[in-house]
Amino acid sequence: MEDSDGRVLCNGLIRDWVYWQLRHADSFTRLCEVLEILSPDAQEPLKPGEPTRVGLDDARDIPTLAMPYGLVPLTQASAGVRRVVSLGYLLVWAWEEHLRATKVLGEAPTDHIVLLIDEVEAHLHPRWQRLILPALLKVVQSLRPDVKVQIIAVTHSPLVLASMEPLFNTDEDALFMFDLVGSEVKVSKADWRPRGDANAWLTSEVFDLKEPRSVEAERAITEARAALKNPQLPIEEVKRIHNDLYRLLKDTDPFWPRWLARAEAAGIDP
């Protein structure tokens, strides 16, 4: 990557990865450690393999990942894998360049790191969404054990928020919400409290969903709740609501116990 004056600022993931793997053992070891921390699980570790060529029209040696089903060139990996690997590389590259700069300037390495990341869950499987933010904290702390870390992350994933419940410190951490009010975006600080699971986060003020279900199921349950409060509702309407619930909800849905007494009172066979 070059700046406007033609100066090379960064060699890029592919070139640096292969160079580190072949010539710069310390940097490559650090990259391997970071990728291991960022891996989705022990069954699918982000473990580098030997570089390879991917075509006759590409003279580059391409990094690979040793997956359980074989070597996968990084350029042909899934979007989620490429994104996490790129993030891991950028963290290692930035830290390595910082250490080199401090030597040139005769300064001590920083003890503060600020990381800004947008849509932290993008392209990731739900299993990986539960791990990514805690893993990023471990990665940054692995660069320097005594470092003070501030991560500013944007997310639309309830699993990301649920994953932070064991780590969230109300004295140091904060959750902010961005809401469109009229034609302006309003920023407000949310009261943090553990909610236990992703469904509870979805139905909180953070995501503003009435139900963690399909739109059709939400409408049916909304009508059913109104029917519970209206004993004068015509039987035909109660039957229609019951049929909608029967079509949209599983037999084990926790809403059924609340509804069945109303259905029986209307003479409907559950």
Side-chain angles (χ1 to χ4, degrees):
M1 181 180 71
E2 299 181 356
D3 65 6
S4 58
D5 296 325
R7 294 173 297 187
V8 178
L9 303 179
C10 177
N11 292 319
L13 186 158
I14 291 176
R15 186 176 296 178
D16 271 340
W17 180 315
V18 175
Y19 174 74
W20 292 348
Q21 190 166 0
L22 299 178
R23 302 285 300 276
H24 208 290
D26 290 344
S27 297
F28 187 65
T29 297
R30 192 187 298 276
L31 177 64
C32 291
E33 292 171 349
V34 166
L35 293 180
E36 182 179 4
I37 296 173
L38 292 175
S39 297
D41 55 35
Q43 283 69 46
E44 293 186 88
L46 298 177
K47 182 179 179 181
E50 291 297 317
T52 189
R53 296 289 178 94
V54 296
L56 298 177
D57 56 350
D58 190 341
R60 298 174 300 171
D61 290 324
I62 303 298
T64 64
L65 292 170
M67 306 302 286
Y69 38 82
L71 287 180
V72 178
L74 188 58
T75 53
Q76 298 176 5
S78 68
V81 169
R82 294 200 309 270
R83 188 170 194 263
V84 171
V85 167
S86 298
L87 181 58
Y89 158 74
L90 284 172
L91 288 169
V92 173
W93 172 83
W95 185 250
E96 295 276 333
E97 290 298 310
H98 171 69
L99 293 180
R100 293 188 180 97
T102 57
K103 288 182 180 179
V104 172
L105 298 174
E107 299 177 355
T110 184
D111 61 351
H112 290 72
I113 294 179
V114 179
L115 173 63
L116 289 83
I117 178 169
D118 189 23
E119 303 289 359
V120 65
E121 75 282 0
H123 305 298
L124 300 187
H125 187 280
R127 182 178 67 247
W128 213 347
Q129 292 181 28
R130 294 193 309 169
L131 301 173
I132 187 62
L133 203 48
L136 283 173
L137 283 168
K138 291 181 182 179
V139 165
V140 179
Q141 291 168 344
S142 73
L143 299 176
R144 177 172 172 173
D146 62 341
V147 73
K148 298 179 179 65
V149 183
Q150 182 181 20
I151 294 182
I152 302 173
V154 177
T155 183
H156 289 93
S157 169
L159 286 169
V160 170
L161 292 176
S163 74
M164 293 307 298
E165 289 190 1
L167 304 175
F168 199 93
N169 182 343
T170 54
D171 293 331
E172 299 179 352
D173 303 319
L175 172 64
F176 294 93
M177 300 184 298
F178 293 77
D179 295 299
L180 183 62
V181 180
S183 60
E184 297 182 349
V185 175
K186 179 182 178 182
V187 182
S188 59
K189 183 178 179 181
D191 292 330
W192 175 274
R193 66 178 185 277
R195 300 178 188 275
D197 61 28
N199 280 350
W201 277 104
L202 281 173
T203 55
S204 71
E205 71 279 5
V206 178
F207 291 97
D208 290 328
L209 291 185
K210 294 180 179 179
E211 294 287 339
R213 313 168 187 268
S214 68
V215 173
E216 292 79 6
E218 179 180 306
R219 289 171 181 166
I221 288 179
T222 299
E223 289 185 333
R225 285 183 173 143
L228 291 174
K229 300 176 182 179
N230 183 8
Q232 306 303 321
L233 194 68
I235 292 178
E236 292 76 12
E237 189 66 11
V238 177
K239 288 182 178 179
R240 182 190 64 77
I241 294 172
H242 181 80
N243 290 335
D244 285 344
L245 293 173
Y246 186 80
R247 178 173 57 88
L248 296 167
L249 304 186
K250 291 178 60 177
D251 293 343
T252 56
D253 194 284
F255 185 73
W256 278 119
R258 298 182 58 189
W259 173 255
L260 288 179
R262 181 71 173 89
E264 290 175 0
I268 299 173
D269 186 0

